[in-house]
Amino acid sequence: MNSRADTGQPQTVTGDTPIVEIRNVIKDFGGVRATDNLSLAITPGELHCMIGPNGAGKSTFFKLLMGTIRPSSGTIHFNGEDITRLAPFARARRGLGIKFQNMQVYQELTVFQNFFVPMRRHHKPAEMPELVDRILRRIHLTGLEDETVKNLSHGQQQWLSIGMSIALEPKVLLLDEPAAGMGPEETASTAEIIKALNAEGMTIIVIEHDMEFIRSLNSRTSVLHLGALFAQGSYEDIERNEDVHKIYLGKA
Ligand SMILES: Nc1ncnc2c1ncn2[C@@H]1O[C@H](COP(=O)(O)OP(=O)(O)OP(=O)(O)O)[C@@H](O)[C@H]1O
Ligand SMILES: [Mg+2]
């Protein structure tokens, strides 16, 4: 246990306090060590990219942050508070939002109806059209509120799932492979959507495999490998790092 966790007191939040911090987190699934003493800190307002080969532990990192799985050991802090043992809903209430890998939206419902379900507990019905409209503008779906989701393109459905994740205005947004399966134009629009949300002040962590996309986000990047932090730096640093190239080729 570290000193902050030991006190059990709310921590003073300063400009230097990471908004998200995991320390020495190990997560074992039976014989598989998905994260191996992983430590990582995210600065408030940051756009942070995360890459790494298949099975590196990237999605596990997000699930640990959201609380859908618990660490075998180590701690998770949000805004200086130890949330290691908090339930997922309590973390969401503090301002963590996620778009999971393969997140589902309701195909047979309209765009508006998809928002109505999660938002109705937090907003009056009369407020909903304006709130949904504001979200749709931010995810490039303006005017599509009455469209049935199954009629949207793959990219538009992905943006809708980003919209679902920002419906409750999270402080930190976690996006797991938001550009998966998209062509170049949709991928470029996805990068624009993410950069604009970040410019509003939202802290965003993006997991992706598409290096063109990571390049266009051009922000601090962490490389995970075998459940641990393998490298960290600007996009350019990572691009130039030969060891990073090697792990993708399976030679490290
Ligand atoms: N629920 C689970 N039960 C057992 N093993 C799991 C579970 N979830 C993840 N793993 C294992 O943990 C490791 C990390 O998985 P994770 O999904 O975090 O990888 P990833 O970096 O997101 O990979 P990808 O790029 O393929 O999405 C893998 O070896 C995976 O098989
Ligand atoms: Mg994954």
mmCIF file of all heavy atoms in Angstrom, residues 27 29-30 32-35 52-61 63 69 101 176-177 207 209 224, ligand 1:
data_model
loop_
_atom_site.group_PDB
_atom_site.id
_atom_site.type_symbol
_atom_site.label_atom_id
_atom_site.label_comp_id
_atom_site.label_asym_id
_atom_site.label_seq_id
_atom_site.Cartn_x
_atom_site.Cartn_y
_atom_site.Cartn_z
ATOM 1 N N LYS A 27 -2.896 -7.673 -12.962
ATOM 2 C CA LYS A 27 -4.179 -8.343 -13.132
ATOM 3 C C LYS A 27 -3.932 -9.733 -13.712
ATOM 4 O O LYS A 27 -3.426 -9.861 -14.833
ATOM 5 C CB LYS A 27 -5.095 -7.549 -14.079
ATOM 6 C CG LYS A 27 -6.419 -8.251 -14.358
ATOM 7 C CD LYS A 27 -7.244 -8.439 -13.094
ATOM 8 C CE LYS A 27 -8.449 -9.331 -13.321
ATOM 9 N NZ LYS A 27 -9.192 -9.585 -12.062
ATOM 10 N N PHE A 29 -5.541 -13.304 -14.889
ATOM 11 C CA PHE A 29 -6.720 -14.103 -15.256
ATOM 12 C C PHE A 29 -6.267 -15.549 -15.231
ATOM 13 O O PHE A 29 -5.688 -16.017 -16.209
ATOM 14 C CB PHE A 29 -7.200 -13.765 -16.669
ATOM 15 C CG PHE A 29 -7.822 -12.408 -16.830
ATOM 16 C CD1 PHE A 29 -7.167 -11.412 -17.544
ATOM 17 C CD2 PHE A 29 -9.071 -12.136 -16.299
ATOM 18 C CE1 PHE A 29 -7.756 -10.169 -17.724
ATOM 19 C CE2 PHE A 29 -9.661 -10.891 -16.473
ATOM 20 C CZ PHE A 29 -9.007 -9.911 -17.182
ATOM 21 N N GLY A 30 -6.471 -16.243 -14.137
ATOM 22 C CA GLY A 30 -5.940 -17.600 -14.056
ATOM 23 C C GLY A 30 -4.439 -17.540 -14.276
ATOM 24 O O GLY A 30 -3.737 -16.814 -13.580
ATOM 25 N N VAL A 32 -2.932 -16.253 -16.877
ATOM 26 C CA VAL A 32 -2.522 -15.170 -17.785
ATOM 27 C C VAL A 32 -2.365 -13.872 -17.013
ATOM 28 O O VAL A 32 -3.296 -13.433 -16.323
ATOM 29 C CB VAL A 32 -3.568 -14.961 -18.908
ATOM 30 C CG1 VAL A 32 -3.149 -13.817 -19.817
ATOM 31 C CG2 VAL A 32 -3.768 -16.234 -19.703
ATOM 32 N N ARG A 33 -1.175 -13.250 -17.120
ATOM 33 C CA ARG A 33 -0.959 -11.950 -16.473
ATOM 34 C C ARG A 33 -1.255 -10.860 -17.511
ATOM 35 O O ARG A 33 -0.448 -10.586 -18.396
ATOM 36 C CB ARG A 33 0.475 -11.870 -15.956
ATOM 37 C CG ARG A 33 0.762 -10.571 -15.232
ATOM 38 C CD ARG A 33 1.811 -10.727 -14.159
ATOM 39 N NE ARG A 33 1.285 -11.450 -13.005
ATOM 40 C CZ ARG A 33 1.930 -11.584 -11.841
ATOM 41 N NH1 ARG A 33 3.125 -11.060 -11.683
ATOM 42 N NH2 ARG A 33 1.377 -12.245 -10.849
ATOM 43 N N ALA A 34 -2.439 -10.244 -17.407
ATOM 44 C CA ALA A 34 -2.876 -9.276 -18.426
ATOM 45 C C ALA A 34 -2.198 -7.926 -18.237
ATOM 46 O O ALA A 34 -1.869 -7.244 -19.205
ATOM 47 C CB ALA A 34 -4.388 -9.121 -18.394
ATOM 48 N N THR A 35 -2.030 -7.489 -16.972
ATOM 49 C CA THR A 35 -1.177 -6.322 -16.719
ATOM 50 C C THR A 35 -0.155 -6.734 -15.666
ATOM 51 O O THR A 35 -0.469 -7.436 -14.703
ATOM 52 C CB THR A 35 -1.949 -5.068 -16.229
ATOM 53 O OG1 THR A 35 -2.529 -5.317 -14.955
ATOM 54 C CG2 THR A 35 -3.017 -4.644 -17.210
ATOM 55 N N GLY A 52 -0.034 -0.930 -28.793
ATOM 56 C CA GLY A 52 0.623 -2.145 -28.328
ATOM 57 C C GLY A 52 0.059 -3.329 -29.084
ATOM 58 O O GLY A 52 -1.081 -3.284 -29.535
ATOM 59 N N PRO A 53 0.861 -4.393 -29.193
ATOM 60 C CA PRO A 53 0.412 -5.571 -29.946
ATOM 61 C C PRO A 53 -0.843 -6.197 -29.328
ATOM 62 O O PRO A 53 -1.182 -5.910 -28.180
ATOM 63 C CB PRO A 53 1.598 -6.535 -29.842
ATOM 64 C CG PRO A 53 2.758 -5.729 -29.387
ATOM 65 C CD PRO A 53 2.213 -4.557 -28.637
ATOM 66 N N ASN A 54 -1.510 -7.061 -30.077
ATOM 67 C CA ASN A 54 -2.675 -7.781 -29.551
ATOM 68 C C ASN A 54 -2.314 -8.481 -28.256
ATOM 69 O O ASN A 54 -1.260 -9.093 -28.152
ATOM 70 C CB ASN A 54 -3.161 -8.846 -30.558
ATOM 71 C CG ASN A 54 -3.715 -8.221 -31.831
ATOM 72 O OD1 ASN A 54 -3.144 -8.393 -32.898
ATOM 73 N ND2 ASN A 54 -4.771 -7.482 -31.717
ATOM 74 N N GLY A 55 -3.192 -8.361 -27.271
ATOM 75 C CA GLY A 55 -2.974 -9.051 -26.001
ATOM 76 C C GLY A 55 -2.038 -8.315 -25.063
ATOM 77 O O GLY A 55 -1.679 -8.820 -24.002
ATOM 78 N N ALA A 56 -1.639 -7.067 -25.404
ATOM 79 C CA ALA A 56 -0.687 -6.306 -24.579
ATOM 80 C C ALA A 56 -1.281 -5.879 -23.241
ATOM 81 O O ALA A 56 -0.542 -5.530 -22.317
ATOM 82 C CB ALA A 56 -0.204 -5.076 -25.350
ATOM 83 N N GLY A 57 -2.614 -5.862 -23.151
ATOM 84 C CA GLY A 57 -3.251 -5.456 -21.890
ATOM 85 C C GLY A 57 -3.977 -4.116 -21.978
ATOM 86 O O GLY A 57 -4.410 -3.577 -20.962
ATOM 87 N N LYS A 58 -4.149 -3.595 -23.188
ATOM 88 C CA LYS A 58 -4.740 -2.261 -23.362
ATOM 89 C C LYS A 58 -6.196 -2.227 -22.888
ATOM 90 O O LYS A 58 -6.579 -1.363 -22.098
ATOM 91 C CB LYS A 58 -4.643 -1.834 -24.843
ATOM 92 C CG LYS A 58 -3.216 -1.871 -25.394
ATOM 93 C CD LYS A 58 -3.146 -1.470 -26.859
ATOM 94 C CE LYS A 58 -3.923 -2.369 -27.814
ATOM 95 N NZ LYS A 58 -3.397 -3.761 -27.909
ATOM 96 N N SER A 59 -7.002 -3.158 -23.395
ATOM 97 C CA SER A 59 -8.421 -3.166 -22.989
ATOM 98 C C SER A 59 -8.551 -3.499 -21.506
ATOM 99 O O SER A 59 -9.441 -2.974 -20.817
ATOM 100 C CB SER A 59 -9.221 -4.173 -23.825
ATOM 101 O OG SER A 59 -9.228 -3.783 -25.175
ATOM 102 N N THR A 60 -7.654 -4.347 -21.022
ATOM 103 C CA THR A 60 -7.660 -4.670 -19.586
ATOM 104 C C THR A 60 -7.434 -3.402 -18.764
ATOM 105 O O THR A 60 -8.106 -3.183 -17.745
ATOM 106 C CB THR A 60 -6.571 -5.717 -19.276
ATOM 107 O OG1 THR A 60 -6.864 -6.897 -20.023
ATOM 108 C CG2 THR A 60 -6.510 -6.045 -17.792
ATOM 109 N N PHE A 61 -6.519 -2.558 -19.217
ATOM 110 C CA PHE A 61 -6.257 -1.272 -18.540
ATOM 111 C C PHE A 61 -7.555 -0.461 -18.426
ATOM 112 O O PHE A 61 -7.883 0.067 -17.355
ATOM 113 C CB PHE A 61 -5.178 -0.519 -19.322
ATOM 114 C CG PHE A 61 -4.989 0.922 -18.935
ATOM 115 C CD1 PHE A 61 -4.494 1.261 -17.689
ATOM 116 C CD2 PHE A 61 -5.298 1.937 -19.836
ATOM 117 C CE1 PHE A 61 -4.320 2.598 -17.331
ATOM 118 C CE2 PHE A 61 -5.126 3.270 -19.486
ATOM 119 C CZ PHE A 61 -4.638 3.604 -18.230
ATOM 120 N N LYS A 63 -10.674 -1.573 -18.569
ATOM 121 C CA LYS A 63 -11.645 -2.255 -17.698
ATOM 122 C C LYS A 63 -11.273 -2.071 -16.225
ATOM 123 O O LYS A 63 -12.150 -1.950 -15.364
ATOM 124 C CB LYS A 63 -11.729 -3.741 -18.060
ATOM 125 C CG LYS A 63 -12.403 -3.971 -19.405
ATOM 126 C CD LYS A 63 -12.298 -5.424 -19.843
ATOM 127 C CE LYS A 63 -12.721 -5.552 -21.308
ATOM 128 N NZ LYS A 63 -12.271 -6.843 -21.875
ATOM 129 N N ILE A 69 -13.467 -4.881 -13.990
ATOM 130 C CA ILE A 69 -12.627 -5.918 -13.379
ATOM 131 C C ILE A 69 -11.788 -5.263 -12.276
ATOM 132 O O ILE A 69 -11.558 -4.052 -12.312
ATOM 133 C CB ILE A 69 -11.714 -6.647 -14.396
ATOM 134 C CG1 ILE A 69 -10.786 -5.662 -15.116
ATOM 135 C CG2 ILE A 69 -12.533 -7.440 -15.399
ATOM 136 C CD1 ILE A 69 -9.775 -6.336 -16.037
ATOM 137 N N GLN A 101 -14.531 -1.585 -26.739
ATOM 138 C CA GLN A 101 -14.257 -2.235 -28.013
ATOM 139 C C GLN A 101 -15.546 -3.011 -28.341
ATOM 140 O O GLN A 101 -16.131 -3.644 -27.460
ATOM 141 C CB GLN A 101 -13.097 -3.218 -27.786
ATOM 142 C CG GLN A 101 -12.311 -3.596 -29.007
ATOM 143 C CD GLN A 101 -11.029 -4.358 -28.616
ATOM 144 O OE1 GLN A 101 -10.690 -4.515 -27.439
ATOM 145 N NE2 GLN A 101 -10.318 -4.823 -29.611
ATOM 146 N N ASP A 176 -11.875 2.772 -26.809
ATOM 147 C CA ASP A 176 -11.150 1.556 -27.196
ATOM 148 C C ASP A 176 -11.391 1.273 -28.676
ATOM 149 O O ASP A 176 -12.479 0.866 -29.068
ATOM 150 C CB ASP A 176 -11.620 0.370 -26.334
ATOM 151 C CG ASP A 176 -10.629 -0.792 -26.363
ATOM 152 O OD1 ASP A 176 -9.743 -0.808 -27.248
ATOM 153 O OD2 ASP A 176 -10.743 -1.682 -25.497
ATOM 154 N N GLU A 177 -10.394 1.530 -29.491
ATOM 155 C CA GLU A 177 -10.410 1.322 -30.939
ATOM 156 C C GLU A 177 -11.596 2.008 -31.620
ATOM 157 O O GLU A 177 -12.403 1.374 -32.289
ATOM 158 C CB GLU A 177 -10.379 -0.187 -31.251
ATOM 159 C CG GLU A 177 -9.147 -0.846 -30.619
ATOM 160 C CD GLU A 177 -8.824 -2.210 -31.220
ATOM 161 O OE1 GLU A 177 -9.293 -2.497 -32.333
ATOM 162 O OE2 GLU A 177 -8.084 -2.964 -30.568
ATOM 163 N N ILE A 207 -7.193 4.070 -27.332
ATOM 164 C CA ILE A 207 -6.470 2.869 -27.743
ATOM 165 C C ILE A 207 -6.707 2.689 -29.243
ATOM 166 O O ILE A 207 -7.857 2.742 -29.687
ATOM 167 C CB ILE A 207 -7.024 1.613 -27.024
ATOM 168 C CG1 ILE A 207 -6.754 1.671 -25.520
ATOM 169 C CG2 ILE A 207 -6.447 0.341 -27.648
ATOM 170 C CD1 ILE A 207 -7.421 0.548 -24.732
ATOM 171 N N HIS A 209 -5.006 0.695 -33.085
ATOM 172 C CA HIS A 209 -3.954 0.001 -33.830
ATOM 173 C C HIS A 209 -3.534 0.786 -35.072
ATOM 174 O O HIS A 209 -2.435 0.605 -35.565
ATOM 175 C CB HIS A 209 -4.438 -1.392 -34.267
ATOM 176 C CG HIS A 209 -4.467 -2.389 -33.157
ATOM 177 N ND1 HIS A 209 -3.307 -2.908 -32.604
ATOM 178 C CD2 HIS A 209 -5.482 -2.953 -32.484
ATOM 179 C CE1 HIS A 209 -3.631 -3.761 -31.645
ATOM 180 N NE2 HIS A 209 -4.945 -3.801 -31.538
ATOM 181 N N LEU A 224 2.127 -0.282 -24.699
ATOM 182 C CA LEU A 224 2.037 -1.407 -23.768
ATOM 183 C C LEU A 224 2.558 -2.666 -24.456
ATOM 184 O O LEU A 224 2.326 -2.882 -25.645
ATOM 185 C CB LEU A 224 0.575 -1.635 -23.342
ATOM 186 C CG LEU A 224 0.189 -1.126 -21.958
ATOM 187 C CD1 LEU A 224 0.498 0.335 -21.818
ATOM 188 C CD2 LEU A 224 -1.269 -1.402 -21.663
HETATM 189 N N1 LIG B 1 -11.591 -12.170 -19.107
HETATM 190 C C1 LIG B 1 -10.419 -12.707 -19.435
HETATM 191 N N2 LIG B 1 -10.114 -13.979 -19.096
HETATM 192 C C2 LIG B 1 -8.921 -14.523 -19.408
HETATM 193 N N3 LIG B 1 -7.935 -13.872 -20.056
HETATM 194 C C3 LIG B 1 -8.176 -12.615 -20.429
HETATM 195 C C4 LIG B 1 -9.414 -11.955 -20.143
HETATM 196 N N4 LIG B 1 -9.363 -10.695 -20.631
HETATM 197 C C5 LIG B 1 -8.144 -10.563 -21.194
HETATM 198 N N5 LIG B 1 -7.438 -11.706 -21.083
HETATM 199 C C6 LIG B 1 -6.056 -11.916 -21.551
HETATM 200 O O1 LIG B 1 -5.266 -10.845 -21.074
HETATM 201 C C7 LIG B 1 -4.347 -10.408 -22.066
HETATM 202 C C8 LIG B 1 -4.587 -8.949 -22.361
HETATM 203 O O2 LIG B 1 -5.831 -8.810 -23.016
HETATM 204 P P1 LIG B 1 -6.401 -7.385 -23.525
HETATM 205 O O3 LIG B 1 -7.769 -7.634 -24.023
HETATM 206 O O4 LIG B 1 -6.222 -6.393 -22.456
HETATM 207 O O5 LIG B 1 -5.399 -7.071 -24.722
HETATM 208 P P2 LIG B 1 -5.411 -5.846 -25.751
HETATM 209 O O6 LIG B 1 -4.103 -5.152 -25.615
HETATM 210 O O7 LIG B 1 -6.653 -5.051 -25.592
HETATM 211 O O8 LIG B 1 -5.423 -6.617 -27.156
HETATM 212 P P3 LIG B 1 -6.167 -6.255 -28.553
HETATM 213 O O9 LIG B 1 -5.267 -5.264 -29.240
HETATM 214 O O10 LIG B 1 -6.183 -7.569 -29.279
HETATM 215 O O11 LIG B 1 -7.529 -5.731 -28.255
HETATM 216 C C9 LIG B 1 -4.551 -11.338 -23.253
HETATM 217 O O12 LIG B 1 -3.627 -12.385 -23.146
HETATM 218 C C10 LIG B 1 -5.966 -11.848 -23.064
HETATM 219 O O13 LIG B 1 -6.129 -13.110 -23.663
#
